[in-house]
Amino acid sequence: MRWSDRSRRVVIVGAGLGGTATAVRLLRFAREPLQVVLVERRPEQRSAGVAYHPAGNPWHHVFNIQAGRMSMFREDVDDFVAWANTSADRTGWPPEWRDVTFTESGPAPRRIYAGYLADRLAEAASESAEGVTLTEVDGEVVDVAAGVDDVRVVVENFALPQGSSPRDDASSVTVRADHLVIATGLEQRALPFAAEVLDHPSFVRQPYSAAGVERVQRVRPDAVVAIIGTLLTGYDSAALLLRRGHTGKIHMISRSGLTIRTYPPDHRHRVLDLPAPRLRGDYEGPGRLVQRVKDEWERACAVVAEDYPDVPPVVVTERVAKSWEPHLPELLERVPTADLRALLDDYGSALATLRVSAVAYTTEVVDGAMAGDGQITVTTGKVSQIEDTGNGPLRLTVSTSDSTRTIEADLVISNFGREPDYERVGSALWANLLGNDLAVRHRRTGRGVEVDGSGVLLGPSGAPSGPISAVGGPREGDEIVRHGRIGAFAFNLAAIKNHSVGVAADVVRRLESGYDDQACDVAADFGAAAREAFARSVSLDVRRMAARRRRDR
């Protein structure tokens, strides 16, 4: 590969799901020469990220949703299941999965998704137009300088494939790019309550790391284990223990005490045509708003039960939540910023449990251990301190509004995860982006950063900061207020699919010569025949961009 600045270049920061999906779209969309540079600071997580890399996801970790919803392409919803059944390399798979025929509504191991993403990326690169290339780079992007038409990207520990580099002595390289896409995933939250035990051998801070998985798997079968978190990540940890034959007591702890529900065996996701919630009118404070939402929620659930009797009761709330999304932006616009942030904090977990469930493969083993006076105890409260007892176990202090209790555990697994406030994250890149006014914390929600409708970063003035776009987690706040997607649905697979298509299309429009920003103005003066021809032209271009094979484009 020749490393030069002669052709257009897009640098993507992060080679997890968001970065890989955006790279695939760019490679398929571009018609003029373009170099797509995909930078990943953790080589073992390339084409996987934290969520899917094999070292941090044992075979017991399955997708929380059905395998049929894991395609990275909205236009080909069966793609992942087809790949898993016909193309996946099953060498080394355990007997439990080796001969499985995956189905739309069934489970699938999370770790195999890395192979799927890598295969689709390689396919997109091999089928790209002439002069459109992919370069995968190891290194950490730590700083950015933006101009009007390009950016300078500082990459530490820069290494090209096979360990080559632009200069033999280069460890920090500045790369010029015509556009930068930031797909850094979710940011990790600091844990002040665990500051004294972060390096303790009985404390697992990163349960989706190779070291974290190894520590969980070698705990004594009769050990007392405390898991901080009672939703999906907590279930992963508990299920891993139970499937390995753990017999000791397991405490699952969270402020909400909420747990997840189980999808029906034949569950299919649908959007129902339900009456709009009656939530207009003057804003009368958070208490009154919550009550009005609850009243309308109960009304909507009753409508589903009456008009759609085939919908299983366990997913009625999911159907209502999905139907409400188009109506939420107007409602949220009337809520003062301070109240909106407080409501999101107070009801985030409850909204998550209403909107998403998990497959029975995970929930049944955990829920069974919770039943009656079972092996798993769910404790509601805030973990305010974790300290070393001095003789092996760790002591957790769990506080509620009116009580405090302590729990001693031989192993503590912290699923207390992401940091939504980007002014608090530990990333050098985000610290520099915010410090240099290339990004600003999302004003209304305090979650993620400000972007425009295409995902371009906005500065303090509200104007674009330069040719810099974001995909995934950084757009959480914008997804909430712009599209009404609450909780994890602001940055989940569905959102990332949308982001990858939108950002890639916007980048191609900006960089290629065949696009003109004045086209909409010209189209407004078309006659009927011209409008019909124009619509067909657009339709054909959309079909071209969706085609996987170069010959089909």
Side-chain angles (χ1 to χ4, degrees):
M1 186 215 76
R2 295 186 62 190
W3 190 265
S4 72
D5 288 333
R6 293 181 182 176
S7 64
R8 299 280 193 177
R9 178 183 298 141
V10 177
V11 172
I12 302 174
V13 185
L17 170 59
T20 301
T22 306
V24 167
R25 294 296 187 176
L26 281 168
L27 292 165
R28 287 170 58 169
F29 291 177
R31 289 179 291 186
E32 299 176 5
L34 178 71
Q35 183 185 36
V36 179
V37 180
L38 192 54
V39 185
E40 175 54 53
R41 62 177 176 169
R42 298 187 180 94
E44 73 279 4
Q45 293 185 12
R46 182 172 291 279
S47 295
V50 174
Y52 308 114
H53 73 112
N57 286 280
W59 288 98
H60 295 318
H61 281 179
V62 302
F63 301 119
N64 65 288
I65 58 176
Q66 297 83 0
R69 296 188 61 216
M70 292 306 300
S71 170
M72 67 182 296
F73 304 113
R74 283 197 175 279
E75 67 273 21
D76 188 358
V77 296
D78 298 321
D79 186 59
F80 171 72
V81 171
W83 172 88
N85 285 329
T86 63
S87 302
D89 180 1
R90 301 197 180 199
T91 304
W93 284 27
E96 178 183 3
W97 295 106
R98 188 178 304 141
D99 299 319
V100 167
T101 298
F102 295 99
T103 63
E104 179 184 351
S105 59
R110 207 176 297 163
R111 61 185 288 140
I112 71 173
Y113 205 63
Y116 169 66
L117 293 178
D119 280 1
R120 290 297 176 255
L121 179 64
E123 176 189 73
S126 68
E127 293 289 335
S128 62
E130 184 176 356
V132 178
T133 62
L134 170 70
T135 302
E136 298 183 82
V137 168
D138 293 339
E140 180 176 5
V141 175
V142 296
D143 202 0
V144 172
V148 176
D149 298 317
D150 68 356
V151 291
R152 305 285 167 166
V153 183
V154 179
V155 187
E156 289 189 348
N157 303 315
F158 183 104
L160 290 172
Q162 292 80 49
S164 62
S165 63
R167 300 196 319 266
D168 291 340
D169 61 345
S171 60
S172 179
V173 171
T174 299
V175 179
R176 189 203 66 80
D178 298 279
H179 204 98
L180 176 68
V181 179
I182 302 176
T184 48
L186 303 181
E187 300 294 332
Q188 192 172 72
R189 176 173 286 184
L191 301 180
F193 60 82
E196 298 179 11
V197 299
L198 290 177
D199 297 322
H200 196 284
S202 296
F203 184 77
V204 177
R205 175 65 185 98
Q206 297 176 337
Y208 294 102
S209 67
V213 169
E214 193 271 337
R215 181 66 185 91
V216 172
Q217 290 182 325
R218 64 180 172 84
V219 70
R220 295 190 335 267
D222 63 342
V224 176
V225 178
I227 299 173
I228 304 175
T230 58
L231 297 181
L232 291 170
T233 52
Y235 266 64
D236 274 345
S237 295
L240 177 59
L241 287 164
L242 294 169
R243 290 188 184 278
R244 291 184 60 81
H246 194 79
T247 59
K249 187 71 176 178
I250 300 173
H251 298 272
M252 295 181 69
I253 309 162
S254 73
R255 290 190 298 174
S256 69
L258 295 170
T259 57
I260 55 178
R261 295 173 296 179
T262 304
Y263 285 122
D266 59 348
H267 181 55
R268 299 289 187 276
H269 286 260
R270 297 166 54 195
V271 178
L272 303 181
D273 184 16
L274 300 179
R278 298 175 297 193
L279 297 171
R280 295 188 177 185
D282 295 335
Y283 177 73
E284 301 174 287
R288 176 58 181 156
L289 175 63
V290 169
Q291 186 57 56
R292 290 176 62 193
V293 168
K294 287 181 177 178
D295 292 344
E296 284 299 288
W297 188 267
E298 291 175 3
R299 183 176 75 94
C301 290
V303 169
V304 174
E306 181 175 351
D307 294 352
Y308 300 91
D310 59 319
V311 174
V314 72
V315 295
V316 166
T317 59
E318 176 203 81
R319 300 288 198 256
V320 173
K322 292 173 75 170
S323 74
W324 275 25
E325 282 183 358
H327 308 288
L328 290 181
E330 181 184 358
L331 170 65
L332 299 180
E333 189 176 354
R334 300 198 303 271
V335 181
T337 295
D339 288 354
L340 176 58
R341 294 185 182 186
L343 288 167
L344 291 172
D345 288 341
D346 292 344
Y347 294 96
S349 295
L351 291 167
T353 59
L354 292 172
R355 184 69 168 80
V356 67
S357 302
V359 295
Y361 182 93
T362 297
T363 58
E364 286 182 349
V365 65
V366 177
D367 291 345
M370 289 180 182
D373 297 326
Q375 183 181 357
I376 294 180
T377 297
V378 175
T379 298
T380 302
K382 177 183 178 181
V383 178
S384 55
Q385 185 177 14
I386 305 177
E387 54 189 339
D388 187 355
T389 62
N391 58 0
L394 299 178
R395 181 182 298 112
L396 297 86
T397 301
V398 183
S399 305
T400 65
S401 59
D402 55 5
S403 67
T404 298
R405 63 169 296 191
T406 60
I407 297 172
E408 287 197 2
D410 300 297
L411 183 70
V412 177
I413 305 171
S414 177
N415 288 290
F416 187 75
R418 65 185 184 86
E419 175 55 74
D421 184 347
Y422 276 56
E423 290 186 350
R424 297 179 181 175
V425 302
S427 158
L429 171 60
W430 281 109
N432 285 327
L433 286 169
L434 272 75
N436 295 328
D437 289 338
L438 295 178
V440 62
R441 182 175 66 167
H442 194 262
R443 292 182 173 87
R444 291 281 284 135
T445 66
R447 296 164 181 247
V449 295
E450 291 282 349
V451 296
D452 69 10
S454 299
V456 172
L457 287 191
L458 303 178
S461 68
S465 302
I468 307 173
S469 301
V471 170
R475 291 169 63 168
E476 178 182 358
D478 185 73
E479 284 289 315
I480 291 170
V481 301
R482 191 184 298 274
H483 300 297
R485 299 191 180 105
I486 305 296
F489 280 81
F491 49 78
N492 71 346
L493 174 60
I496 288 173
K497 289 180 188 180
N498 292 338
H499 293 174
S500 65
V501 172
V503 166
D506 184 60
V507 170
V508 168
R509 178 185 65 80
R510 291 168 182 266
L511 298 185
E512 290 193 345
S513 60
Y515 295 89
D516 188 338
D517 287 337
Q518 305 304 314
C520 291
D521 297 333
V522 174
D525 297 326
F526 282 170
R531 281 198 299 271
E532 182 179 348
F534 182 71
R536 175 166 172 74
S537 175
V538 171
S539 176
L540 288 172
D541 203 37
V542 169
R543 290 167 60 188
R544 175 193 67 80
M545 295 170 79
R548 285 166 56 173
R549 305 296 179 188
R550 188 190 309 186
R551 65 175 182 269
D552 296 328
R553 298 181 203 139

